């Protein structure tokens, strides 16, 4: 799956292209707690969250994620988008709630990267 596919599946708006919308995405994580993402997630490619601050981008960078999707129509400010662009991380915004967005991606074949999900 690519970032373009995620954009289509979630009816999301592209806010920042990052390294490119053709980047491959193999797994996903949905969380508003960045400490949980750091502690329990492995081999992630996309993060879905409702938390809108620079820590989201910094966490995504540390976890080698290629995309962040803000749920519930949330939109980060330009400073966060600039940081994502500098780090090569695509940023999308979807009007969907996190549960629905994660479910749609799961139905499309994207799985979690947590050891418990395997």
């Amino acid at each position: 799956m690519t970032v373009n596919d995620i954009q289509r599946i979630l009816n999301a708006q592209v806010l920042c292209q990052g390294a490119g919308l053709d980047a491959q995405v193999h797994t996903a994580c949905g969380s508003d707690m960045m400490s949980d993402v750091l502690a329990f997630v492995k081999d992630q490619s996309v993060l879905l969250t409702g938390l809108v601050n620079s820590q989201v981008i910094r966490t995504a960078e540390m976890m080698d994620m290629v995309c962040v999707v803000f749920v519930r129509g949330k939109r980060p400010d330009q400073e966060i988008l600039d940081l994502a662009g500098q780090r090569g991380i695509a940023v999308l915004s979807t009007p969907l709630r996190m549960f629905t967005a994660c479910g749609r991606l799961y139905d499309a074949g994207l799985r979690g990267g947590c050891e418990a999900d395997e």
Side-chain angles (χ1 to χ4, degrees), residues 37-108:
V37 174
L38 291 169
F40 299 112
V41 173
K42 67 175 185 89
D43 193 30
Q44 289 306 116
S45 294
V46 61
L47 171 63
L48 292 91
T49 187
L51 182 65
V52 182
N53 66 38
S54 62
Q55 281 306 112
V56 171
I57 303 303
R58 295 185 194 290
T59 300
E61 179 186 23
M62 289 173 55
M63 302 304 290
D64 295 323
M65 295 181 175
V66 298
C67 181
V68 172
V69 179
F70 290 101
V71 297
R72 299 186 301 274
K74 296 203 174 178
R75 298 177 60 92
D77 63 26
Q78 191 59 48
E79 184 178 326
I80 293 170
L81 294 176
D82 291 344
L83 180 63
Q86 293 166 6
R87 303 302 194 264
I89 299 169
V91 178
L92 309 178
S93 176
T94 181
L96 302 173
R97 293 177 185 231
M98 190 180 313
F99 182 81
T100 304
C102 290
R104 285 190 183 181
L105 292 176
Y106 188 88
D107 282 348

Side-chain angles (χ1 to χ4, degrees), residues 5-53:
D5 295 327
I6 292 171
Q7 185 272 328
R8 180 183 47 78
I9 292 165
L10 299 182
N11 191 29
Q13 181 179 9
V14 177
L15 304 178
C16 174
Q17 290 194 13
L21 301 180
D22 292 329
Q24 289 292 313
V25 175
H26 303 288
T27 57
C29 173
S31 181
D32 287 342
M33 302 252 330
M34 296 303 104
S35 58
D36 283 353
V37 174
L38 291 169
F40 299 112
V41 173
K42 67 175 185 89
D43 193 30
Q44 289 306 116
S45 294
V46 61
L47 171 63
L48 292 91
T49 187
L51 182 65
V52 182
N53 66 38

